[in-house]
Amino acid sequence: MPKLFIEEQLREAGMFTDFESSLYDRQIRLWGVEAQKRLNNARILIIGMAGLGAEVSKNIILGGVKSVVLMDHRNVSKIDMSSQFFLAKDSLGQNRAAASLVRAQLLNPMVDVVASSASPDDKNDMFFEQFTVICAIGCTKTQINRLNQITRQCDIKFFAADVFGFTSYIFTDLGKNHKYSKYESPY
């Protein structure tokens, strides 16, 4: 699709400013205006700001969601300093989420990024209901089960993941109403 045609469609629909149109141009071409509009309305909670959490956060913030809450109750360790790229040299001993906030926000000024030093265990169920997507990284099995029950009841998209050296896992629950489609490779 020609760039001028896309920009004209966006302006006519009143969905994006000229700045947003240019910022998200590649994404709009890739997955379309409606998908970008849904992204721009997404409220994301990312629990766990070690290396994987930083990578997930970067990609979500660059994607142009409405808001992101970075949550981690742990402090920056020496290991974090070698695997988490949001951290500054003086971050050692600080809260992981708070230490990640400034550099995460710099990725996309259109996204409201907030840090929370709370543990998910300290939050009541209603806290989680404000989000459209929850990513739980490095959480315990008990935390994952609780979060998945909340997200399933409230039709919130849920992802749980972790990395252990060369081993990793991901669990995805996109809700009762999500429709999966099979992709047939042309090869």
Side-chain angles (χ1 to χ4, degrees), residues 148-157 173-180:
N148 190 224
Q149 284 179 343
I150 296 166
T151 56
R152 178 117 316 225
Q153 289 171 352
C154 299
D155 199 29
I156 299 168
K157 311 300 184 222
D173 185 346
L174 301 177
K176 298 174 254 188
N177 299 321
H178 182 77
K179 302 285 186 242
Y180 292 89

Side-chain angles (χ1 to χ4, degrees), residues 6 12 17 22 40 63 108 112 115 123 130 139 160 172 180 187:
I6 292 172
E12 285 176 11
T17 65
S22 90
N40 286 121
N108 189 341
D112 182 27
K123 298 293 187 180
Q130 67 182 302
C139 290
T172 304
Y180 292 89
Y187 304 105

Side-chain angles (χ1 to χ4, degrees), residues 63-157:
V65 298
K66 181 176 186 171
S67 64
V68 173
V69 174
L70 308 175
M71 176 187 275
D72 202 321
H73 64 283
R74 294 164 288 217
N75 291 335
V76 176
S77 68
K78 287 183 181 181
I79 293 172
D80 294 325
M81 297 298 291
S82 65
S83 65
Q84 214 270 38
F85 49 80
F86 287 138
L87 303 175
K89 291 180 183 179
D90 63 348
S91 298
L92 193 62
Q94 295 177 18
N95 174 267
R96 281 182 184 167
S100 303
L101 180 62
V102 171
R103 290 185 175 174
Q105 182 65 74
L106 288 173
L107 292 172
N108 189 341
M110 302 295 291
V111 177
D112 182 27
V113 183
V114 177
S116 170
S117 60
S119 166
D121 296 332
D122 299 333
K123 298 293 187 180
N124 63 29
D125 293 1
M126 285 183 57
F127 169 80
F128 299 104
E129 294 173 10
Q130 67 182 302
F131 300 100
T132 55
V133 178
I134 296 177
C135 302
I137 302 165
C139 290
T140 66
K141 185 177 177 183
T142 302
Q143 290 169 328
I144 291 169
N145 286 336
R146 175 182 174 226
L147 291 167
N148 190 224
Q149 284 179 343
I150 296 166
T151 56
R152 178 117 316 225
Q153 289 171 352
C154 299
D155 199 29
I156 299 168
K157 311 300 184 222

